Amino acid sequence: MRSKVVIFLTCVAICVLVFALTKLPLAQALPQDRILQAIDNNSLITLHHNLSPLAKAQYDQGAVESSFKLRHITMEFKLTSGQQAALDTLLQQQQDPTSSSYHRWLTPEQYADRFGLTTSDLAKVVSWLQDMGFSIDETARSRTWVAFSGDADQVEASFHTSIHHYVMNGAAHYANATEPSLPAALAPVVLAIRSLSNFRPKPQLIRRRVIASPNPRFTSSVSGNYYLAPADFATIYDVQSLYNAGITGAGEKIAVMGQTDIVLSDIEEFRSAAGLPANDPTVVTIPAYVSITSTGDLTEADLDLEWSGAVARNASIIYVNAGDSANGAFDSLTYAIDINVAPVVSISYGSCEQDVGSADASAMETEFQQANSQGMTIVGAGGDDGATDCDNNNPAAPSDIAVSGLAVDFPASAPNVTGVGGTEFYNDTATGGNAYWSATNNSTTQGSALSYIPEMVWNDTAEQGELAAGGGGASIFFTKPSWQTGVGVPNDDARDVPDVALDASPVHDPYLICSSDYTNQDAGVADCTSGFRASDQTLDVVGGSSVGPPTFSGIVALINQKTGSAQGNINEILYPLAAAVGDAFHDITNGNNEEPCQAGTPNCPNGGQIGFIAAPGYDQASGLGSVDAFNLVTKWSSVKPITGTTPDFAVSSSPASLTVASGGSGSATLTVVPNNAFSGTVSFTCSVGSALSGVTCSVSPATLMTSGTTTLSVAASTSAQVLGGMRFPSFRWLQALGLLTCGLLLGWARLRVGKSPLPLARVVPRGVWLAFVIVCLLAAGVSCGGGGNTSTTTTTSATSETGNVTVTAVSGSTTHTAQVTVIVN
């Protein structure tokens, strides 16, 4: 009895020890107080990189009055190096299917307990701000920022900088004229002070009105132009197949970022005109904002709300409105992340990186990491000025020539955001528009597109007479993420954009919208009074990279519904998926986002063109290409993400589909791309799916060292052989017949040595029967045997067949596969 008690107590002690040890790392990871001394207003440090790059001396109109009100100033807190390392590890684990943290998303409060300030430090910051006369608007649930309001004289006394008026491009702004300073005791926790200036991000759209016939075909007007209704998008990008399978966005949420009040009837009229069920958005407003209806911003809000709900037609749409806050839609994004508003976030606003500044970009990237840890996917616009994004905001720049050099748009350039670039459809007249469009429209949906339409990079600069092309290039702020790899990805140690691209041309072919955002030119013209027609029989259409975030966000919502989970940073899946599942993307290999540039300006090659050209695989003009939504969504879970720093490789096939004639052959190029300093031998084998008969495959060379290309060869033999007018069965059937015969012979042999042998068996010597048994065993071995490592053979049938050839690439314990669809006819 005593021994049993001792064993029990020992077990209890071990359990307690194990529990304590497992809890120890968590205790060590908890935030520690960092404000360890009294906050002395006479001991100051300068907070660098907190001056807006747009607050230039030539625009300065002098100091504002002392009572000038600044609302919703945001003090952003920084992570310690240990917290940042832990967050990086968590984000990797949340995307790793083998990790216990896989898709276990945090709440803002859980994030606070691991990566936010301590409650003690936060209380000290809030107390100091109140002592300086500021009113506290809100503190983040994640304890990563605090928002407050005050007068210009309070800002000057607290942060030792003055607020000035600025006028740029005819618009009035305010900003701090010098870098702010703050008490040294706060230096360990403060990363940036945002909203001391109000150079708000800009919508990335181009709007125009087009004349329609009295009875217009909305996708085929009398002028020969085409316009996209939601049903057309669903056909072209294969979303309709998802609807047919019941994947419509039901139960999912998409949040749209904005900076203006909306007119609800615009969205209702759009859905009615498109034959969509009623689905009003929910409006969420950030604290301390002033209600405004802003020209230009209302069009953007209408576009984003209408088209996100058009793609994910049954999803709930949430509009987050910043009103007239200093950072506009950027403030909406900060607030949306803090309240964990929705698993998918669309933002069509942005600024070139050089105009954002490194402190703001760094602060917002930390917010984006928080969003990803909460399972949120953020989709941003790639920009509308080709590879020269800063010319959009340069008063000295001509409208049709780039002078500011290469630049990309933020927040699309952030690694934790998916950037969407622009494409346009080939000239329909040249390619035969009737091949892609019906002569009439569906009476309910107004759609008339017939199929996918070939695409090129969006570039309307020559046609528009101003810079108008899809954005792309390399970030100046962010280094290359480990997941951004594959054929065509530049070896530039920089985050490259875009990630994907969708139709964005305002000329060919733009998107139909309904908007009451009237300008002087169309004042009094009511949109969508009869379907998509305006009261003067015109159509309201838009293009630009603003279209990408809402439409692609709709596709992400469909991914979430299909997989039953939020996704976080989808970039970690997009790149390996493009390498392994070619038919999920339309590789854009035509066109460019080059802009004419002025000789002597940055990056301009002798007064020529500046930008990037489409090429096979990834490129900085169209990213991975546009998508086939059905294949993207249904094959989303078929690949593992590229995360962390573990050496790995990716394998892809080009093309992803082969058509082989009976008796003929075909080949595809297999490409190995190393990730995270991978170095090793990759060995290849291939196998033919059961749906294909008479097809052989081989890989040569069968090994590669680290990276490079090899060739997959596929051959189809002729159909069944004919001799003397009679069709003989295939060898596989002969094997089966042989095995059946062997079975009978074995049974016969068994009866031969039994008590009641068959009459025929009595006259057959025992040695003959034993010989039959041996032959049968040999036949069975041949039937069940396999072939070589690099080829597989089956026999053909007499009809057309479609199936898959699977290539397996192995290096040590790491295995990746690529599939090639083979059609034999």
Side-chain angles (χ1 to χ4, degrees):
M1 178 67 181
R2 179 178 299 176
S3 61
K4 292 182 178 179
V5 172
V6 171
I7 293 172
F8 172 76
L9 292 176
T10 302
C11 290
V12 171
I14 292 173
C15 290
V16 170
L17 179 61
V18 170
F19 178 79
L21 291 174
T22 57
K23 296 294 287 185
L24 184 59
L26 178 60
Q28 290 177 338
L30 291 175
Q32 303 295 308
D33 288 344
R34 286 180 273 164
I35 303 177
L36 304 178
Q37 54 186 314
I39 300 176
D40 182 358
N41 291 327
N42 295 314
S43 177
L44 304 175
I45 58 101
T46 300
L47 203 58
H48 294 289
H49 310 298
N50 280 258
L51 184 66
S52 171
L54 296 174
K56 298 178 180 179
Q58 62 263 41
Y59 311 139
D60 195 338
Q61 306 297 305
V64 303
E65 60 276 17
S66 61
S67 61
F68 184 86
K69 188 75 170 178
L70 287 88
R71 289 177 293 102
H72 218 267
I73 306 168
T74 304
M75 179 180 288
E76 298 267 359
F77 305 130
K78 59 186 174 184
L79 279 65
T80 66
S81 58
Q83 285 177 318
Q84 186 62 63
L87 178 56
D88 291 341
T89 298
L90 173 65
L91 292 172
Q92 294 169 12
Q93 293 172 340
Q94 288 177 321
Q95 295 291 351
D96 183 357
T98 65
S99 170
S100 61
S101 295
Y102 177 64
H103 280 195
R104 294 182 63 180
W105 311 116
L106 303 183
T107 65
E109 287 75 19
Q110 289 171 329
Y111 186 91
D113 291 341
R114 298 179 65 173
F115 308 111
L117 283 190
T118 63
T119 55
S120 174
D121 279 351
L122 180 61
K124 293 172 186 176
V125 172
V126 169
S127 177
W128 177 77
L129 288 170
Q130 291 173 327
D131 289 344
M132 300 306 294
F134 294 107
S135 60
I136 303 300
D137 298 328
E138 59 179 323
T139 57
R141 290 169 60 184
S142 58
R143 298 200 300 274
T144 56
W145 53 263
V146 58
F148 53 95
S149 298
D151 297 335
D153 58 347
Q154 293 168 330
V155 170
E156 184 167 0
S158 305
F159 301 115
H160 307 277
T161 183
S162 59
I163 306 299
H164 284 212
H165 288 294
Y166 293 84
V167 175
M168 188 181 73
N169 292 336
H173 301 275
Y174 65 82
N176 51 306
T178 59
E179 297 275 23
S181 297
L182 74 168
L186 298 177
V189 300
V190 178
L191 174 61
I193 302 175
R194 297 173 55 206
S195 302
L196 291 178
S197 64
N198 71 337
F199 291 95
R200 287 152 61 98
K202 292 188 174 183
Q204 307 283 1
L205 62 77
I206 302 172
R207 182 189 187 194
R208 67 192 184 99
R209 283 193 177 273
V210 293
I211 299 174
S213 66
N215 184 24
R217 288 174 291 179
F218 297 122
T219 53
S220 180
S221 76
V222 293
S223 66
N225 295 323
Y226 299 86
Y227 312 109
L228 291 179
D232 296 317
F233 185 95
T235 296
I236 294 167
Y237 290 118
D238 202 13
V239 188
Q240 186 61 49
S241 297
L242 292 171
Y243 300 156
N244 297 342
I247 307 299
T248 62
E252 301 300 326
K253 295 180 180 179
I254 302 172
V256 169
M257 305 298 101
Q259 54 189 38
T260 182
D261 289 354
I262 62 172
V263 178
L264 194 58
S265 60
D266 290 342
I267 290 87
E268 293 172 338
E269 290 166 352
F270 174 85
R271 293 188 69 87
S272 176
L276 298 171
N279 188 11
D280 291 349
T282 301
V283 178
V284 174
T285 58
I286 69 171
Y289 96 111
V290 173
S291 175
I292 60 170
T293 301
S294 172
T295 299
D297 290 315
L298 179 54
T299 300
E300 182 64 73
D302 286 333
L303 161 64
D304 296 348
L305 292 168
E306 290 166 4
W307 275 91
S308 58
V311 177
R313 52 179 55 178
N314 288 330
S316 298
I317 310 299
I318 302 168
Y319 180 63
V320 184
N321 180 17
D324 71 339
S325 68
N327 283 316
F330 284 177
D331 284 336
S332 294
L333 189 51
T334 297
Y335 186 67
I337 294 168
D338 188 60
I339 66 172
N340 204 12
V341 66
V344 186
V345 174
S346 170
I347 179 165
S348 292
Y349 287 83
S351 298
C352 79
E353 287 186 328
Q354 289 87 330
D355 289 349
V356 172
S358 59
D360 270 11
S362 178
M364 292 192 70
E365 172 61 358
T366 301
E367 293 175 1
F368 303 155
Q369 287 185 306
Q370 177 189 338
N372 290 166
S373 76
Q374 295 170 184
M376 302 172 74
T377 301
I378 304 174
V379 184
D384 292 348
D385 296 273
T388 60
D389 199 69
C390 284
D391 281 87
N392 175 283
N393 217 19
N394 186 346
S399 63
D400 59 347
I401 296 180
V403 297
S404 301
L406 295 172
V408 295
D409 204 79
F410 179 87
S413 64
N416 293 78
V417 174
T418 299
V420 185
T423 70
E424 62 182 297
F425 303 125
Y426 280 0
N427 184 291
D428 296 315
T429 301
T431 59
N434 290 336
Y436 303 114
W437 302 92
S438 171
T440 58
N441 298 275
N442 182 283
S443 60
T444 300
T445 67
Q446 310 304 326
S448 63
L450 300 175
S451 67
Y452 172 70
I453 305 173
E455 296 167 276
M456 61 190 296
V457 179
W458 166 44
N459 194 333
D460 289 334
T461 294
E463 189 169 0
Q464 293 281 86
E466 60 183 6
L467 303 184
S475 171
I476 62 171
F477 291 152
F478 305 109
T479 57
K480 182 82 71 188
S482 61
W483 44 257
Q484 190 163 40
T485 183
V487 177
V489 174
N491 185 23
D492 54 4
D493 196 32
R495 156 70 163 142
D496 293 300
V497 284
D499 297 302
V500 294
L502 294 170
D503 173 51
S505 173
V507 177
H508 185 83
D509 299 279
Y511 293 72
L512 291 160
I513 64 166
C514 296
S515 180
S516 54
D517 191 1
Y518 306 126
T519 62
N520 291 334
Q521 289 83 359
D522 58 19
V525 178
D527 256 9
C528 297
T529 57
S530 177
F532 285 115
R533 285 196 297 269
S535 58
D536 65 349
Q537 298 299 304
T538 59
L539 298 174
D540 204 353
V541 297
V542 296
S545 63
S546 274
V547 182
T551 52
F552 195 68
S553 290
I555 293 173
V556 176
L558 301 181
I559 293 172
N560 290 354
Q561 182 187 359
K562 178 66 170 63
T563 60
S565 173
Q567 301 299 315
N569 186 1
I570 64 170
N571 294 338
E572 299 190 26
I573 293 291
L574 286 173
Y575 285 81
L577 190 69
V581 185
D583 61 0
F585 296 86
H586 304 294
D587 190 7
I588 310 300
T589 58
N590 291 293
N592 61 75
N593 65 356
E594 294 179 327
E595 302 286 19
C597 56
Q598 184 172 305
T601 58
N603 312 119
C604 185
N606 300 319
Q609 300 280 319
I610 180 174
F612 304 98
I613 300 173
Y618 180 89
D619 57 71
Q620 292 163 294
S622 64
L624 297 169
S626 69
V627 299
D628 180 300
F630 180 80
N631 291 333
L632 183 79
V633 172
T634 57
K635 298 181 181 180
W636 186 258
S637 302
S638 66
V639 299
K640 294 180 180 180
I642 299 172
T643 59
T645 57
T646 302
D648 199 355
F649 66 92
V651 61
S652 62
S653 171
S654 180
S657 178
L658 290 174
T659 299
V660 181
S662 178
S665 62
S667 64
T669 298
L670 303 174
T671 302
V672 171
V673 177
N675 301 317
N676 304 323
F678 168 81
S679 178
T681 300
V682 180
S683 300
F684 295 90
T685 59
C686 65
S687 61
V688 179
S690 59
L692 295 170
S693 57
V695 172
T696 63
C697 69
S698 62
V699 180
S700 181
T703 59
L704 288 176
M705 180 61 71
T706 304
S707 64
T709 60
T710 185
T711 300
L712 169 68
S713 298
V714 176
S717 64
T718 58
S719 56
Q721 300 176 16
V722 177
L723 182 62
M726 297 180 61
R727 187 176 300 274
F728 283 80
S730 67
F731 182 65
R732 180 179 295 173
W733 287 106
L734 287 173
Q735 285 182 317
L737 183 60
L739 283 175
L740 178 61
T741 303
C742 284
L744 293 174
L745 289 174
L746 286 172
W748 204 353
R750 171 69 180 85
L751 290 172
R752 171 69 181 86
V753 297
K755 294 182 179 180
S756 302
L758 293 175
L760 182 62
R762 295 192 184 99
V763 298
V764 179
R766 181 184 299 269
V768 175
W769 288 113
L770 291 176
F772 273 125
V773 171
I774 294 172
V775 170
C776 288
L777 292 174
L778 291 173
V782 172
S783 176
C784 298
N789 287 334
T790 61
S791 70
T792 301
T793 304
T794 61
T795 55
T796 62
S797 66
T799 59
S800 177
E801 297 177 329
T802 299
N804 292 322
V805 170
T806 300
V807 175
T808 301
V810 179
S811 180
S813 61
T814 302
T815 300
H816 293 293
T817 61
Q819 280 195 336
V820 177
T821 300
V822 176
I823 302 169
V824 180
N825 55 28

